[in-house]
Amino acid sequence: MNAFPRAAITVMFCLIAGPVAAQSAAATLIGRIVDQQSAAVPGATITVRQESTSTTWSATSDGEGRFTFPMLSPGRYDFEATLAAFNPWRTSLTLEVGQQRALDVVLSPATVRVDVVVTGEIDRPVSTAVDGVLSSGRIESLPLNGRNFLELAFLIPGNNPTPVFDPTKTNSVLISSAGQMGRGGNVNIDGQDNNDDVVGGPLLNLPIDAVQEFQIATSRYGADIGRSASSVINVVTRSGTNATRGTAAIFARDDAWQALPPTLDNPDDAPPFDRQQVSGALGGPLRRDHLFWFASGEYRDQDGGVLVGTRNISTRTISRGFAPAPLSDGLWSLRLDSGGAANRFMARYAGEWATDTAASAVERAIGSASQRQDGMNRYNSVLASWTSAPRGNFVNSLNGSVSTFLNETLPVTTAPQQTFPSIVDGASFRMPQETLQTRVQITDSATLVRGAHSLRFGGEVQRVDAEFRLGVFQQGRIEYVEDFATFDHNGDGVINDNDLLFSVTLRSGKPDQALIQPDADNTHIAGFIQDDWAVANRLQLNLGLRYEVDSEVNNQSRVDELNPIVLPFVTDERQRDLNNFGPRVGFAWTANDRGLVVRGGYGLYYDRIVLQIQSLERGLDGRALPIEVRAGNVFFLDPATGRFPPFAPSTANPFSGFVLPGAGASGINIIDPHLQNPSVHEFHVGVEQDIAGLHARADVMHNQGIHFLIGRTVGEVYNPVVGGPDRVVNIESSAKTQYDGLLLSLDRPFSKGYGFRVGYTLAKAYNYANDDQIPFLNGPIDPNDLGKEWGPTPNDRRHRLTLTGQTIVSNVNISALWTISSGVPMDIMMPDAQSRIPVLQRNAGGRQFHTAAELNTYLADLNAGGGVDGVLLPLVTDSARFNDSFNSLDIRVSRPFSINQRIRVEPMLEVFNLFNVTNILGISNVNYSGYSNVLVRDSEDPTSAGYLRSSRFGQPVTTAGGVFGSGGPRAMQLAARVTF
């Protein structure tokens, strides 16, 4: 960090050394006190008391009758306003994480002494964010398949599941918010950053019993939160209360209670599946009203299976079966809280220890049993916070935390990766690998109330130390152009795998040497200021500005280590991105006395750049990890006889061809000297209305993303290490994104025996690549015209509807979660699967073409004009499809029994995908549709009719959720919970 700008450090140090926020893991209550003639009432004493801990805060209304309580813990509160000559005014209300609520208090003269007690929902929202909050009560009632708290995000409009983008995330819940791809986003637990800076995505999971409230802000969140160009998730963990309470539960599933995936070819090949999850939580006071504790834990033991393919040479088919995929996962957390209104202290430890076998992130719709991986993940997280209120109009919150993450991923076998057009066999070329990450974080935020202004200011410093230990490309990769041999190319009298044609091979030039990259580090510094201004009783403005800077995401300190052979392509002096100023503007206007709220806003948000970017430049520099791209046996074919000579590369000796210029490889990677953090301009306008106990909300969003990363080939050099030419790939901030969405929600809180929530999203998302940061696969069709890459994102869903509800009938609790959505698009790949059809937009299937007939008409016209560079393309069958809609209803039925006044037992039955709807979906961002997307020819013989026919294209391959995930085959789960 020796060249890091002193000015930036000085400014941020001043912000941090002064008042210091809990990243919106709190709530704010504002309001105004008037008399019955609507005149302001100054000098009134306002008291709020948290019901669970008896902690009490007090304030005095100012000259305009206003009051503010910032940084309150989420929960239930008793409110009281008193002043001599007026009757006391009392109510109770619930404050939620990240929310700002307004309370209008009308005091009556004490000519007749009475206590005024107001019931019902009398407070109103004044938040300008596009967000949603789920409380612990609602979370506990839901039939969550997998019991991962991140699944709650999918209940809020604007959020979708997203495909796997990295092998280390195969068992993670990945979230696409506002059309992004899941590497970005920001997950905070009690204000602590819980994100993977190495490859992106979330890290630590929590026991679901530890979650008190869950908030996801899809747009227009405050200036106190950054490092995300999509959404921010705030999770508040449970704390102890004055009552000692606990819970214990067990959840069990078995293959005897489960249907089979419809894509399974042999119904007798039932997956070996069972799962047991046990959980427990206990909390209470160590010293009543002053010191509290809460502990929770959860363990999952799972014998699962993953769908795999097997090449059957005799039948020339790929059959689908199951391979074992066991998993064990332990989660735990412990939290301590102490203090009162003036000073509050919190300390929390959370950890996770997981081992699993899973499918690797494959480049095709399905992989073989050998394309699995053994993973090990270890997470540890310690957090401490201090919230102080030295005087009535000033509150400060200081957080300090340390977290560690270790991932180790190993192949289940040792072999080269064999990439066929329809299946990936062998072992993943990305294995083995190991990554380590340590984060030290300090955040500080203060709120100063001055009249109608609530000023928030503060900042944060994060130091992330990481290390890569990579065995990538050590075993190599073979790119076949056919699934099965069709000709006796080697002349031995039989047609078998020794006659398979392959175009290229890729392998490390140092296959016996792993790539070790220590000190993949970065320092992130940010500061913010925001004014929440009550312009009038019904108008709230939020005016904020955030500044962020990173020290090392562009590998700034290692510029002198660049390979000299690429220096001609370094066009300028490398510079840090120092202009990341993010303005935030929002308003909330209460339009009438019936609770109609109109809101809108604009914000500029910056995403984090993952440390894998600097790893690419350090590793793929042509020396540390030189990738030899060699000619396959197709280059040696005799056009007259169709045979290749004895010295040609073969399946038994594939890595013996001559060196080719980086075709299909990542080449030598360099980071553009003007690399910038991806950023999104977010606009939204919305309305909110309470109607007869229903809370309705509608928001319109438009997001325009710029400076997203893409790898573009800029030239070619002779690389003496590989003994041949190598392409130069510039990692640059040239890609764009766009998201337009209509977000609707209707919420009825549980009362009188029932409650429900409905969320609907109508949206479209476009970008330049199927990965928003890592240019590891094939680059743009035309590196000089990136506009040809503009197309729908691989996880673009035009419609998504979620419905959750709970009712009680004769003491029987019934809850349900119903998800319905339209299909995702897919790329249409050339017969050799090396690229999409170059004259089509990305992910044209399901968007540009909706039926097989439409695609065939296009292909016929294309062939009539000579095809693609003289290559004629096969037509598809009438049954070919591009995508499938999603429809899954999950239910829970339970009947609680009280043993005594303190102990209650609740047996439960849960059924996931009740109607056993088939939902075809993939797992990889290369092909998320779940259908075969390669125009594989029925025959490689140009004289055969099968040469221009592709029977496999558009056929279903994988189902959503695999064996037991969301949307998978119907599964039943038995459970029991004890609360005391």
Side-chain angles (χ1 to χ4, degrees), residues 63 333 380 399 447 560 672 708 777:
S333 69
N380 290 282
N399 281 9
T447 299
D560 57 350
D672 191 85
F708 279 78
L777 299 172

Side-chain angles (χ1 to χ4, degrees), residues 819-832:
T819 303
I820 305 171
S821 71
S822 55
V824 300
M826 78 173 184
D827 258 338
I828 301 174
M829 305 294 288
M830 292 285 289
D832 61 2

